[in-house]
Amino acid sequence: MNVTEAVQARKSVRAFLSTPVPEDTIRQILIDAARAPSGGNVQPWKTYVLAGAARDELVKRISDHWAAGNYGEGTEYAIYPKDLAEPYMSRRRDVGFKLYELAGIARDDKVGRLNQMFRNFELFDAPVCMIFTIDRNMGLGQWADLGMYIQTVALLALDHGLATCLQEAWANWHKTLTQMLSIPDHEMVFCGLALGYEDTSAKVNTLRSERAGLDDVKFFGFGK
Ligand SMILES: Cc1cc2nc3c(=O)[nH]c(=O)nc-3n(C[C@H](O)[C@H](O)[C@H](O)COP(=O)(O)O)c2cc1C
């Protein structure tokens, strides 16, 4: 798979097989992903990796919260701006509707939507969970660096036959994560990532999200 093929092939997978991922594979992915660039080479990313009993314990803790009617702890940063303007709002809605359609959830089915949200916290059955944090005193530039690192993890996973889903949903459980993983107070949870082998029979994994192409690109100095 060349780089273009990997970028084209990466997608958010929301149904995984329970097949375990070898620890060496995960370590190799994270060693290679650290080649991601960062301003001043500060490498501001921190990664917490859970598999096996630790992964199951995390899922159980959120299940218990959910069963008690607790659907989250709130996020420490705004996942989206308060008033998500156009065209961003439409893009967000469009992919959401497509996802619910494939998952067989009607638009007005609030319980169905809640259940789909909960699937995040079962990691869509993925055997591995990564949680990415960053020092609180880091600025916008370092948050961008963190994003590049995570995208590199997602692309490298493909090289090992693995699939991923990035999960901002985990930011909603920063207290549980901080406690369980002993995350220091000076770090903030950005997002999680589900990692495992794709369940290629799952309808939800056929989702192909749209892109705006070159709509938001301005060219200067080309052509006549
Ligand atoms: C930082 C980040 C957080 C995300 N969080 C979630 C999430 O919590 N749950 C989820 O199902 N998808 C999540 N996604 C996946 C996006 O919905 C997805 O990347 C987008 O719709 C484009 O689809 P694609 O990844 O299949 O290309 C997240 C993506 C990113 C980049």
Side-chain angles (χ1 to χ4, degrees):
M1 193 183 277
N2 67 33
V3 177
T4 303
E5 286 165 347
V7 171
Q8 290 285 351
R10 190 219 50 83
K11 64 179 180 183
S12 296
V13 160
R14 297 184 180 88
F16 291 83
L17 304 175
S18 58
T19 315
V21 180
E23 183 180 340
D24 285 351
T25 302
I26 299 166
R27 287 181 182 274
Q28 193 60 54
I29 289 171
L30 293 174
I31 287 169
D32 292 338
R35 296 307 310 172
S38 55
N41 198 27
V42 296
Q43 305 160 66
W45 42 77
K46 307 266 184 211
T47 311
Y48 297 79
V49 191
L50 293 85
R55 175 249 181 240
D56 294 347
E57 171 64 21
L58 177 61
V59 170
K60 187 187 173 303
R61 286 194 192 193
I62 308 303
S63 289
D64 291 347
H65 281 310
W66 213 266
N70 176 8
Y71 302 126
E73 297 160 339
T75 59
E76 291 199 277
Y77 68 94
I79 289 185
Y80 298 104
K82 233 187 204 163
D83 301 307
L84 193 60
E86 289 300 337
Y88 313 111
M89 194 60 185
S90 293
R91 290 176 184 167
R92 187 183 167 199
R93 282 211 181 104
D94 179 66
V95 78
F97 288 148
K98 284 194 172 120
L99 174 61
Y100 291 133
E101 203 178 318
L102 286 169
I105 300 164
R107 287 189 188 194
D108 56 355
D109 180 359
K110 284 191 180 152
V111 176
R113 279 167 176 246
L114 203 60
N115 288 340
Q116 180 60 31
M117 174 51 85
F118 181 67
R119 289 288 293 142
N120 273 284
F121 308 120
E122 292 178 323
L123 294 155
F124 309 111
D125 301 327
V128 178
C129 173
M130 291 188 189
I131 299 293
F132 301 103
T133 71
I134 186 163
D135 274 33
R136 289 176 190 280
N137 64 359
M138 292 296 184
L140 296 178
Q142 292 74 48
W143 278 70
D145 295 339
L146 174 58
M148 287 189 265
Y149 168 72
I150 299 170
Q151 161 77 338
T152 309
V153 170
L155 291 175
L156 288 166
L158 294 170
D159 228 5
H160 297 268
L162 291 160
T164 55
C165 185
L166 279 166
Q167 296 183 283
E168 241 147 10
W170 283 107
N172 249 303
W173 294 106
H174 61 97
K175 289 181 188 164
T176 299
L177 290 166
T178 296
Q179 202 230 340
M180 188 179 150
L181 307 176
S182 303
I183 297 173
D185 284 347
H186 61 84
E187 289 176 29
M188 193 190 293
V189 172
F190 168 44
C191 73
L193 176 143
L195 176 81
Y197 298 95
E198 177 180 351
D199 177 354
T200 51
S201 70
K203 217 174 155 190
V204 79
N205 287 339
T206 62
L207 175 57
R208 182 75 179 162
S209 54
E210 303 283 332
R211 292 296 188 273
L214 295 177
D215 292 0
D216 295 329
V217 183
K218 289 190 170 61
F219 293 93
F220 299 90
F222 291 90
K224 289 177 189 164

